[in-house]
Amino acid sequence: ALFLNQLQKDLEEVKELLTNATRKRVRDVLLAEKQKLELEIKNQPPPKPKDVAEEEKSSLGGYTVKINNYGWDQSDKFVKIYISLNGVQKLPAENVQVNFTERSFDLLVKNLNGKNYTMTFNNLLKPISVEGSSRKVKTDMVLVMCKKKREEKWDCLTQVEKESKEKEKAAYDTTDPSEGLMNILKKMYAEGDDEMKRTINKAWVESREKQYKGDIPMDI
């Protein structure tokens, strides 16, 4: 609720700035920010009425365990998350609850062998259809079916996973293009005839001279 309040305040300020902005470029930036904030506000899960939240807490006997293990799969239309929970099929249907928003879902399993189990996924990689999403209880397993808004392949489940994958890839991909060029030049020089060596030497000297004059910022 506090985060939602901050977003709404940001939106009000952007709207105020828009009324005073006259430059097209500035207005475009503000309009883009306005749309982004409106979408973020829309995707916030609705706050539960206090009495309902309190009632839920009091009805949760035992202690709550956060689920970290899951498997997932996808088809053209659905992203499927498999959560193993022994004996879950014996519970009343209302004890297995899943709340969906366009970019998140949270699962609550109440009073399974004296414990409650929760799992939350925020910032799903792509939007899902709240109406089309559902959950199925199978033997020793809960299957959460997130209906894709668009039929496209997901590379991972959440935005956070995507960002960490990209960081990992960037860490491994440290090949410096200028280093690659230097290696090619060295090879050409080693294997070339006198004319080739003279050409490379001439280019090298000229590039160093330009660098010293400050014409081009080369770092070879």
Side-chain angles (χ1 to χ4, degrees), residues 14-71:
V14 167
K15 282 179 179 172
E16 203 175 304
L17 290 167
L18 262 169
T19 58
N20 299 321
T22 52
R23 307 287 300 161
K24 184 182 180 304
R25 195 169 171 187
V26 174
R27 282 185 67 80
D28 287 349
V29 170
L30 288 168
L31 280 166
E33 188 61 27
K34 176 175 171 277
Q35 286 169 350
K36 191 175 151 194
L37 283 164
E38 283 170 345
L39 188 64
E40 218 172 323
I41 288 167
K42 188 182 158 197
N43 285 338
Q44 288 296 309
K48 286 180 182 174
K50 199 174 178 189
D51 55 341
V52 174
E54 290 304 315
E55 192 185 307
E56 261 192 22
K57 269 186 198 168
S58 62
S59 71
L60 295 178
Y63 62 94
T64 300
V65 179
K66 209 169 181 179
I67 303 166
N68 293 315
N69 294 329
Y70 63 91

Side-chain angles (χ1 to χ4, degrees), residues 82 93 98 144 175 186 188 219:
Y82 301 89
V98 182
V144 179
T175 311
K186 281 176 188 169
M188 282 168 69
D219 187 23

Side-chain angles (χ1 to χ4, degrees), residues 186-218:
K186 281 176 188 169
K187 193 169 186 291
M188 282 168 69
Y189 189 89
E191 293 172 5
D193 56 19
D194 288 347
E195 185 62 31
M196 176 65 79
K197 286 178 180 170
R198 271 197 296 275
T199 306
I200 291 171
N201 273 332
K202 186 168 178 279
W204 176 263
V205 170
E206 282 175 6
S207 77
R208 299 304 284 178
E209 280 174 359
K210 277 187 184 175
Q211 192 184 347
Y212 290 136
K213 284 180 191 167
D215 290 354
I216 49 169
M218 281 189 70

Side-chain angles (χ1 to χ4, degrees), residues 91-97 108 110 135:
L91 290 177
E94 65 270 17
N95 280 33
V96 182
Q97 301 168 359
L108 171 64
K110 293 199 276 188
R135 59 109 181 104

Side-chain angles (χ1 to χ4, degrees), residues 173-184 220:
D173 190 15
T174 53
T175 311
D176 183 350
S178 62
E179 195 177 311
L181 179 64
M182 281 300 299
N183 290 338
I184 292 165
I220 295 179

